[in-house]
Amino acid sequence: MKNINRRIFIRNTLYSGLSASIMPSQLMANDTATHSETILENKSRTFRKKRVIVAGAGISGLCCAYELMKKGHEVVVLEASGRLGGAVLSVHDGLADGLYADFGAENFTQPGYENYWRYLKEFNLTVLPYFHRKNRLTRIDGVWLTDEAQKAAYNQKVKDLGGFNSKEKEFLLANPSYDLSFLYLEPYFDTFKNEYQPFGIGFDHLENIPISEIYKQDGASKAAIATLGGSKTSALYAIWQAYIMHLRGYDKPFKLFRLKGGNQVLTNEFGRRLGSRVRLDCQVLEIVNGETGVIVKYKEFGETKEISADYMACCLRTTALKKIPIKPTLSPKKQFVIDNLAYDQTTRIVFQARSKFWLKDKLSINLTYNHPALTHIWQVADEVATERVSLMAKAPGGTNPLRTLEAFKEFYPGNKSNIDIEQVLVKDWSSDQFVHGCERHGFGDLGELSKFWPHTTTPHGRIHFAGAYADNRSWGMEAATNSAIRVALEIEKA
Amino acid sequence: MGSPQVKIRLPQDTANSYEWNAFVRYSIDVLDTIDGASKYGEINEGEVFLEIEFIPIENAEELVEKVLKDRLKKAKKETEHMGLALMKNSTCFGCHADKATHTGPSFSEIADRYENTSTHIVSLSNSILEGSKGLWGNTEMPSNPDLTVSETEQISKFILEQGAKKNNWIIPGLEGTFRIIEKPKNIEQGFYILTASYTSTSKMRGQDSILLNIR
């Protein structure tokens, strides 16, 4: 059934695309009438093939181009760098025995990432569970604590603060302590009509009120107020984000996954299907949004070229957009987003070791160091059949990886002489020419949300904006695929 | 062995004349006998800077030429601030910019908060050496133990001086875009002086200055 649909669809696409202007509509109708699919037949009458320039071959650009291509539109993807995938980067080179590591987007969840999962099924990709938060040890004030010990410390803190009230205690019988905020946020959820619209539903005034005030107002105990915090977080933002999490099921314990061979397998699959529609080493320089189309100036191996189309799907992060003049100029609200959106700056450091040395110390390697040169470390690519291991470490942008190694050794909770690390690789996103930074920051400060939302996602004439930054939650690959599909639909309907 | 050749390039269609509030896209060509050519990716982008200065012109037409000549002459003689030279060799520009907020605060935000005093230079220098957290939102700044105290003090001085300059911008890199300011009240015309510079591996400095007419 699927195949037949697809064949009819391609034929219809060809008719409308090649000869829309010269072929009388009756003739087209007669031809398609021989097929039984009336829905598709109708589609063929109204279908108008659009020429779309997609800027950026990160996951959102590739996903958006793939969706548009499937709908029968003509796409050209312009990518400034020499590779596909952007912030999705799986590195194999430099690691022994087939080991690899995701230097960029690291995992996805279930529940959640619904659009992302659809592609994994469509392309039949192998998904592996990811346990990098299991049996974790955390270094706090120089002492290594298990999750249980941290929980005990948390319980003691709550006790010292006078304990939770009966309503909170009852809630926590059925829910984990990190979900306590939902007790106070959930009553607001029913008011939302659309997960993309936090405004105009009677909560606008909450943008300038800290969420801690809401907890107080709704009768939270002193202990709950102290542990939940939020004195600087806008109540509207907190409620909206909690609502989205609730909608996607993140408010219950969720599982983490990654792709076998690295998350770049998916962006590679998009790229393979798009073929030569993706042009690498083509950096967008200027965009003109005209009445009837868009004109893009770009640079290919130093030579300035021009291309025009009906629409643009702009899938560049704002750090790249800052450098691209757009004519006519963007609205002040849109320009504000581009000028002010901030991103996490992370350095990813990968250690290759000769063995699972931590097992000699009866330890987990899921370690949270909380050190200036090493925040977390965990094992990656553990399914590769070798004695060797690859470990992923995170540090702030600009960190020297050898300092990370030194910190790892110095504060390692087992016997240092067991450590058999033999190789150090690094990817500092804060110094990447095209993918400057990681996830975007939230808009949670008081009075900030209306400066960024919904302008982050609004189109500018024929230019539509997608990317991991351009969705209602900043979880990279989910936001990238959601926004890419949104833009493909916007252009389809335009 | 001569100084590196530096050349500022703007899109051809604009004739160096721009409107207020317009975006200006530029690129910088660098050619050095030892380091090589930017055209072939042989030039370290971190050593290339564009300094932008706005000169308002208030009526006196006859003075325009003199003011600009003096300013251009000055631009040619300027040497690089020690602090900037140190920052280029570190990772600072990954998160900080002169007037624009990236992950970390801009130089102008820092200069707005901290006056250029010896106390602030010392405290800023400590933040650079040891890193900081919580002073500017939740973002964490890594420590820079490879620098010395006198070096971080030079950097702090540069940040406070540069950040406080209102009509002056510094942008690293071989290409980029900046936006001309909105038209100030009582001024019809102004000039932007763009000065691109490159310091070669043999510590030779080359630069190029051009004028943009803003109306």
Side-chain angles (χ1 to χ4, degrees):
Chain A
M1 189 64 192
K2 245 185 184 165
N3 284 338
I4 294 167
N5 277 348
R6 175 135 182 80
R7 208 180 320 128
I8 294 168
F9 182 62
I10 289 169
R11 281 194 65 189
N12 290 342
T13 304
L14 280 175
Y15 290 137
S16 53
L18 286 177
S19 47
S21 57
I22 51 165
M23 188 184 280
S25 58
Q26 268 179 324
L27 192 59
M28 282 174 71
N30 283 342
D31 189 76
T32 47
T34 58
H35 302 295
S36 57
E37 290 283 331
T38 49
I39 297 164
L40 283 171
E41 185 187 319
N42 287 338
K43 205 173 185 177
S44 80
R45 261 192 225 157
T46 53
F47 182 80
R48 192 169 60 84
K49 182 174 179 173
K50 290 165 181 155
R51 294 171 306 145
V52 185
I53 296 165
V54 178
I59 179 169
S60 61
L62 293 167
C63 175
C64 187
Y66 177 67
E67 284 297 317
L68 288 163
M69 177 186 80
K70 276 206 301 188
K71 290 175 200 290
H73 300 290
E74 191 183 315
V75 292
V76 171
V77 185
L78 301 177
E79 164 59 37
S81 80
R83 62 171 282 275
L84 304 170
V88 180
L89 171 63
S90 311
V91 170
H92 296 251
D93 283 1
L95 292 166
D97 305 345
L99 287 168
Y100 61 91
D102 271 305
F103 279 76
E106 61 178 286
N107 50 224
F108 46 95
T109 68
Q110 198 173 53
Y113 286 73
E114 272 181 31
N115 284 317
Y116 184 85
W117 279 96
R118 261 186 29 212
Y119 295 112
L120 305 186
K121 285 192 189 104
E122 185 179 338
F123 302 158
N124 198 19
L125 304 181
T126 308
V127 172
L128 296 172
Y130 203 10
F131 298 117
H132 67 83
R133 294 179 193 170
K134 286 260 164 82
N135 302 321
R136 187 164 44 179
L137 286 177
T138 306
R139 191 173 148 266
I140 293 170
D141 298 330
V143 182
W144 286 100
L145 299 176
T146 60
D147 286 345
E148 292 74 32
Q150 277 195 82
K151 186 136 194 256
Y154 169 82
N155 288 338
Q156 186 57 47
K157 189 183 169 194
V158 168
K159 211 174 157 189
D160 293 347
L161 286 161
F164 289 129
N165 64 31
S166 55
K167 191 168 70 167
E168 289 158 357
K169 278 182 192 154
E170 196 191 345
F171 178 85
L172 291 173
L173 286 178
N175 298 281
S177 53
Y178 54 76
D179 269 354
L180 181 59
S181 63
F182 282 85
L183 170 64
Y184 295 101
L185 303 178
E186 205 160 352
Y188 293 86
F189 292 169
D190 280 348
T191 313
F192 284 89
K193 294 184 182 73
N194 175 344
E195 61 167 304
Y196 287 91
Q197 188 47 278
F199 293 110
I201 52 171
F203 295 159
D204 291 6
H205 62 288
L206 296 179
E207 191 189 348
N208 293 303
I209 295 173
I211 189 64
S212 54
E213 287 301 314
I214 300 289
Y215 301 142
K216 262 183 225 166
Q217 184 187 304
D218 295 345
S221 65
K222 199 179 144 204
I225 292 166
T227 50
L228 289 172
S231 62
K232 286 178 182 165
T233 306
S234 144
L236 177 58
Y237 181 78
I239 293 168
W240 179 45
Q241 290 295 304
Y243 168 67
I244 298 166
M245 290 175 78
H246 175 71
L247 207 63
R248 297 183 188 167
Y250 300 147
D251 54 343
K252 299 281 171 284
F254 54 79
K255 288 183 183 142
L256 296 175
F257 298 90
R258 60 187 176 82
L259 290 182
K260 188 180 179 185
N263 295 327
Q264 197 181 300
V265 169
L266 175 63
T267 45
N268 288 350
E269 288 295 323
F270 279 134
R272 205 194 317 279
R273 282 163 176 79
L274 287 160
S276 60
R277 290 175 184 86
V278 184
R279 299 184 193 169
L280 299 175
D281 214 304
C282 289
Q283 185 179 359
V284 173
L285 300 173
E286 285 177 25
I287 306 167
V288 178
N289 170 44
E291 296 250 317
T292 55
V294 288
I295 303 166
V296 173
K297 261 191 197 156
Y298 66 100
K299 187 173 72 176
E300 187 168 15
F301 270 113
E303 199 183 321
T304 304
K305 295 182 176 179
E306 207 172 271
I307 184 171
S308 61
D310 301 321
Y311 293 92
M312 169 177 257
C314 188
C315 303
L316 303 172
R317 57 178 54 219
T318 54
T319 48
L321 267 173
K322 267 184 198 171
K323 297 178 189 166
I324 302 173
I326 298 176
K327 286 178 197 161
T329 44
L330 299 170
S331 69
K333 284 175 173 175
K334 190 85 189 171
Q335 190 63 47
F336 179 88
V337 171
I338 290 172
D339 290 342
N340 291 284
L341 205 70
Y343 295 79
D344 277 342
Q345 299 292 350
T346 312
T347 302
R348 298 292 191 112
I349 300 110
V350 168
F351 299 143
Q352 177 181 295
R354 292 186 202 103
S355 69
K356 289 183 182 170
F357 58 85
W358 59 91
L359 294 181
K360 291 180 196 157
D361 298 304
K362 299 193 167 52
L363 285 171
S364 155
I365 196 62
N366 295 337
L367 300 171
T368 300
Y369 267 70
N370 289 327
H371 182 279
L374 171 58
T375 53
H376 313 277
I377 189 162
W378 64 93
Q379 189 186 357
V380 292
D382 57 349
E383 82 283 9
V384 177
T386 168
E387 277 180 48
R388 286 193 161 81
V389 291
S390 44
L391 303 174
M392 172 65 71
K394 251 187 187 178
T399 304
N400 175 343
L402 294 177
R403 291 194 181 275
T404 306
L405 178 60
E406 193 178 78
F408 177 81
K409 287 180 174 168
E410 190 177 345
F411 299 104
Y412 177 65
N415 185 349
K416 289 177 192 39
S417 64
N418 287 334
I419 299 171
D420 55 8
I421 289 171
E422 57 183 0
Q423 162 79 307
V424 180
L425 301 178
V426 65
K427 172 71 197 173
D428 181 355
W429 292 101
S430 75
S431 62
D432 191 281
Q433 190 185 356
F434 301 112
V435 188
H436 187 256
C438 306
E439 272 178 13
R440 74 151 162 81
H441 292 178
F443 322 127
D445 289 351
L446 296 178
E448 284 292 286
L449 183 57
S450 58
K451 292 182 190 167
F452 288 96
W453 196 266
H455 330 301
T456 298
T457 60
T458 46
H460 176 64
R462 292 170 169 267
I463 309 167
H464 297 257
F465 297 87
Y469 79 90
D471 202 43
N472 56 6
R473 236 187 116 66
S474 65
W475 287 6
M477 297 189 290
E478 175 177 71
T481 45
N482 287 356
S483 63
I485 290 168
R486 168 178 56 77
V487 161
L489 278 171
E490 282 172 8
I491 291 176
E492 169 81 0
K493 284 183 192 159
Chain B
M1 191 177 66
S3 304
Q5 291 171 42
V6 176
K7 178 97 190 125
I8 302 173
R9 296 205 182 276
L10 300 171
Q12 291 157 342
D13 50 344
T14 53
N16 294 7
S17 188
Y18 287 85
E19 286 170 13
W20 298 106
N21 219 12
F23 285 90
V24 181
R25 183 165 64 78
Y26 68 90
S27 62
I28 300 166
D29 288 351
V30 178
L31 185 65
D32 182 73
T33 42
I34 294 171
D35 297 348
S38 54
K39 190 178 156 188
Y40 303 118
E42 292 160 342
I43 297 299
N44 173 7
E45 284 215 47
E47 287 290 349
V48 182
F49 279 85
L50 184 72
E51 182 178 355
I52 305 164
E53 195 183 358
F54 171 59
I55 315 260
I57 301 295
E58 292 162 31
N59 295 325
E61 286 288 341
E62 66 280 7
L63 283 179
V64 171
E65 213 173 320
K66 193 182 173 310
V67 168
L68 294 177
K69 256 188 196 157
D70 289 353
R71 191 59 203 84
L72 271 177
K73 227 188 258 168
K74 211 177 136 210
K76 287 207 171 97
K77 276 189 203 148
E78 261 165 28
T79 52
E80 191 168 68
H81 194 293
M82 212 19 216
L84 177 62
L86 288 160
M87 288 180 86
K88 290 193 306 195
N89 294 323
S90 193
T91 52
C92 314
F93 285 102
C95 296
H96 300 277
D98 178 12
K99 301 292 190 289
T101 312
H102 290 173
T103 301
S106 65
F107 304 160
S108 55
E109 283 173 302
I110 297 170
D112 277 350
R113 188 183 288 188
Y114 306 113
E115 218 181 310
N116 192 349
T117 63
S118 52
T119 323
H120 286 147
I121 287 170
V122 170
S123 64
L124 217 51
S125 153
N126 275 337
S127 288
I128 299 169
L129 275 173
E130 290 161 18
S132 80
K133 196 179 182 179
L135 290 174
W136 300 88
N138 292 324
T139 315
E140 196 174 337
M141 154 132 170
S143 60
N144 289 281
D146 298 319
L147 296 166
T148 66
V149 173
S150 76
E151 285 172 337
T152 51
E153 286 185 358
Q154 287 284 357
I155 293 175
S156 305
K157 269 183 209 162
F158 171 73
I159 291 172
L160 294 178
E161 281 170 27
Q162 181 59 32
K165 288 183 189 168
K166 294 297 173 210
N167 283 331
N168 185 295
W169 300 261
I170 282 187
I171 318 175
L174 278 162
E175 57 186 1
T177 303
F178 62 88
R179 192 171 196 178
I180 291 165
I181 58 167
E182 281 183 45
K183 188 174 124 19
K185 280 176 194 161
N186 310 325
I187 286 171
E188 289 309 313
Q189 195 190 358
F191 287 89
Y192 265 57
I193 297 181
L194 309 188
T195 304
S197 63
Y198 170 70
T199 310
S200 71
T201 44
S202 9
K203 299 292 160 212
M204 300 287 279
R205 186 175 152 95
Q207 61 181 59
D208 179 33
S209 291
I210 60 166
L211 271 181
L212 302 188
N213 194 346
I214 319 296
R215 283 168 197 275

